[in-house]
């Protein structure tokens, strides 16, 4: 299976059954992601070098305004899509098989986990993985140690508090926090300026 076919399979939302052709392709793609992130995380790299490595990881160019502080971990890489003026801080872990879409101006804090795969609930089918994308709007701020689960959309301008576990969609221009995350309050007019 070619990587493009693999991504098409994942982006269709079809399950990935353990031992299937898609599952075997997933392992191959993961090995490349592990190699590239190990390179990214070893020694010092200039911002330009990090952008080049991240572009190789995702298989598509990133804007010159993109910023990343390693270490960074991804177990696929090929289904990460970032806009302009995106910053990813140290220690983040992206499980992107289901697709991660990050809008312009988004800030992602230390140790954030973005997870796009679930496993089947039935014990006999537990090896089956269920991909579901994460969509992060524009000008979102995700605080340190937050976790965003599969299928979640975070609206433009939203703030995810540090340590939150986001299990459902987040409206635009609100602050969410807690486990599971819930709306704490809307952003004020002053905060939106």
């Amino acid at each position: 299976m070619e990587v493009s076919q693999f991504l098409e399979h994942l982006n269709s939302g079809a399950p990935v059954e353990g031992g299937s052709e898609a599952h075997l392709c997933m392992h191959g793609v993961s090995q490349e992601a592990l190699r590239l992130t190990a390179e990214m995380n070893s020694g010092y790299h200039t911002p330009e070098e990090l952008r080049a490595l991240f572009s190789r990881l995702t298989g598509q160019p990133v804007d010159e305004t993109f910023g990343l502080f390693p270490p960074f971990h991804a177990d696929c890489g090929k289904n990460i899509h970032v806009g302009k003026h995106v910053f990813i801080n140290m220690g983040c872990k992206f499980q992107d098989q289901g697709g991660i879409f990050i809008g312009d101006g988004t800030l992602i804090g230390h140790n954030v986990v973005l997870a796009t795969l679930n496993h089947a609930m039935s014990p006999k089918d537990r090896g089956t993985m269920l991909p579901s994308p994460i969509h992060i709007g524009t000008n979102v701020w995700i605080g340190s140690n937050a976790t965003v689960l599969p299928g979640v959309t975070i609206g433009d301008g939203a703030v995810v508090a540090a340590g939150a576990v986001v299990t459902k969609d987040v409206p635009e221009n609100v602050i969410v926090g807690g486990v599971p995350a819930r709306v704490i309050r809307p952003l004020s007019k002053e905060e939106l300026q």
Side-chain angles (χ1 to χ4, degrees):
M1 177 177 273
E2 297 293 324
V3 173
S4 61
Q5 295 170 306
F6 170 62
L7 291 173
E8 189 176 306
H9 179 92
L10 291 172
N11 292 333
S12 75
V16 177
E17 296 178 17
S20 68
E21 188 178 8
H23 188 241
L24 296 175
C25 186
M26 181 184 287
H27 281 285
V29 171
S30 293
Q31 291 306 305
E32 181 181 356
L34 292 171
R35 183 181 58 75
L36 286 168
T37 55
E39 185 177 346
M40 195 180 296
N41 297 332
S42 64
Y44 172 76
H45 299 285
T46 66
E48 295 79 17
E49 291 168 336
L50 285 171
R51 281 193 294 276
L53 285 166
F54 196 85
S55 293
R56 285 174 49 204
L57 175 68
T58 63
Q60 52 196 313
V62 292
D63 191 77
E64 65 182 15
T65 60
F66 172 78
L68 170 74
F69 283 0
F72 174 81
H73 301 278
D75 58 1
C76 177
K78 299 299 184 220
N79 217 358
I80 299 172
H81 312 272
V82 297
K84 297 177 180 178
H85 301 283
V86 169
F87 177 71
I88 300 170
N89 217 325
M90 293 182 218
C92 291
K93 296 174 179 71
F94 287 13
Q95 180 196 50
D96 63 289
Q97 287 89 342
I100 294 173
F101 301 85
I102 302 171
D104 294 347
T106 289
L107 305 174
I108 299 179
H110 293 89
N111 302 315
V112 168
V113 173
L114 303 179
T116 65
L117 288 178
N118 270 321
H119 287 273
M121 286 295 128
S122 168
K124 68 179 179 55
D125 295 323
R126 193 74 37 91
T128 297
M129 290 161 278
L130 310 168
S132 190
I134 292 172
H135 292 273
I136 300 170
T138 60
N139 299 312
V140 170
W141 175 20
I142 301 177
S144 296
N145 296 303
T147 298
V148 181
L149 296 182
V152 167
T153 295
I154 299 175
D156 295 345
V159 176
V160 176
V165 177
V166 185
T167 62
K168 60 183 181 179
D169 290 354
V170 174
E172 294 182 358
N173 299 319
V174 299
I175 300 172
V176 299
V179 180
R182 60 177 178 72
V183 174
I184 295 171
R185 67 175 176 82
L187 293 170
S188 69
K189 289 180 184 178
E190 293 79 23
E191 290 168 326
L192 290 171
Q193 293 181 358

